[in-house]
């Protein structure tokens, strides 16, 4: 059912960039990188139908907050309809507007920003703007966690992250088809 919604939206919006939600193993691998025992502000770029969103909410403490930024109006509407949780704010817009969204909420930085957006489809200017704003939106010690298919060239994301973040690591998630790479960039 979710796959049908993805395919329908992908046909009308190439930035959806997938025919199906991410796998459970991808979600758990990202979750392992988040300290859910702490009070966190987590921002998610490109939640789609919320496979990461709902798992984060399961693990998050009651005082933590999650902001999901989705540019596709259909996904935004469905996500708001499907997940009713006072800790979640679903924002319709581009990840590049993260600083405005954050400002509207509390002005403090995020502990984690998790991204599933297709950087390879974005213009160079847009990529650069999103990464620069992402760096500014994170607290010191915060992490940016991006998952994408493993064959993406470094110039679409990793090289750009190295211009801002002192620590950038990549790992492969093999049980997924196609395999994913997770890029973790830490602001220290
Ligand atoms: C590959 S799908 C991932 C969906 C979901 N996170 C998952 O893993 O199953 C990419 C998602 O990013 C959204 N997206 C693409 N570009 C975006 C942008 N610039 N800002 C926010 N969301 C974006 C798409 O609409 C889509 O929901």
């Amino acid at each position: 059912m979710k796959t049908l919604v993805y395919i329908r939206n992908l046909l009308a919006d190439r930035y959806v960039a997938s025919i199906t939600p991410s796998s459970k193993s991808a979600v758990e691998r990202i979750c392992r990188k988040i300290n859910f025992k702490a009070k966190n502000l987590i921002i998610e770029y490109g939640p789609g139908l919320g496979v990461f969103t709902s798992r984060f909410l399961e693990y998050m403490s009651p005082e933590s907050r999650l902001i999901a930024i989705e540019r596709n109006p259909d996904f935004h509407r469905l996500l708001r309809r499907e997940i009713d949780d006072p800790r979640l704010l679903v924002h319709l817009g581009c990840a590049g507007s993260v600083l405005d969204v954050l400002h509207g909420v509390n002005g403090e930085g995020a502990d984690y920003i998790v991204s599933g957006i297709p950087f390879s489809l974005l213009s160079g200017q847009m990529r650069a703007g999103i990464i620069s704003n992402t760096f500014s939106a994170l607290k010191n010690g915060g992490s940016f966690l991006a998952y994408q298919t493993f064959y993406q060239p470094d110039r679409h994301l990793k090289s750009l992250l190295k211009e801002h973040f002192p620590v950038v690591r990549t790992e492969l998630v093999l049980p997924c088809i196609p395999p994913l790479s997770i890029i973790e960039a830490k602001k220290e």
Side-chain angles (χ1 to χ4, degrees), residues 8 12 21 32 35 39 48 55 83 90 93 98 122 124 126 130 132 141 149 155 171-172 180:
R8 193 183 70 219
R32 270 193 245 156
N35 173 15
K39 174 185 172 185
R55 202 66 170 159
I83 307 183
V90 187
V98 61
L122 307 180
M126 206 163 164
I130 292 175
S132 166
T149 41
R155 68 177 188 281
E171 72 184 62
L172 211 55
L180 285 184

Side-chain angles (χ1 to χ4, degrees), residues 40-158:
N40 287 316
L41 174 62
I42 303 175
I43 299 178
E44 184 184 6
Y45 296 162
L49 291 180
V51 63
F52 285 88
T53 320
S54 47
R55 202 66 170 159
F56 291 164
L57 289 165
E58 260 175 57
Y59 289 142
M60 276 165 46
S61 64
E63 67 277 8
S64 292
R65 295 285 174 270
L66 174 59
I67 301 172
I69 306 179
E70 172 57 59
R71 69 174 291 284
N72 179 287
D74 206 26
F75 284 160
H76 171 261
R77 182 180 56 78
L78 291 168
L79 196 57
R80 285 183 57 141
R81 194 184 71 188
E82 295 301 320
I83 307 183
D84 179 21
D85 189 306
R87 297 170 298 168
L88 172 68
L89 171 76
V90 187
H91 177 83
L92 176 63
C94 174
S97 63
V98 61
L99 291 175
D100 293 335
V101 179
L102 200 54
H103 187 68
V105 177
N106 68 0
E108 280 181 29
D111 299 282
Y112 299 92
I113 298 182
V114 180
S115 170
I117 67 175
F119 279 92
S120 56
L121 299 183
L122 307 180
S123 68
Q125 193 185 3
M126 206 163 164
R127 280 199 286 264
I130 292 175
I131 296 307
S132 166
N133 288 349
T134 296
F135 183 80
S136 304
L138 281 166
K139 285 180 185 162
N140 282 335
S143 296
F144 177 60
L145 300 164
Y147 53 93
Q148 54 182 15
T149 41
F150 76 103
Y151 46 76
Q152 304 298 333
D154 282 357
R155 68 177 188 281
H156 288 162
L157 184 56
K158 193 173 178 184

Side-chain angles (χ1 to χ4, degrees), residues 17-38:
S18 177
I19 57 163
T20 190
S22 292
S23 67
K24 207 173 163 197
S25 49
V27 175
E28 293 306 328
R29 280 290 278 274
I30 288 279
C31 286
R32 270 193 245 156
K33 297 184 172 295
I34 297 176
N35 173 15
F36 285 103
K37 291 199 181 98

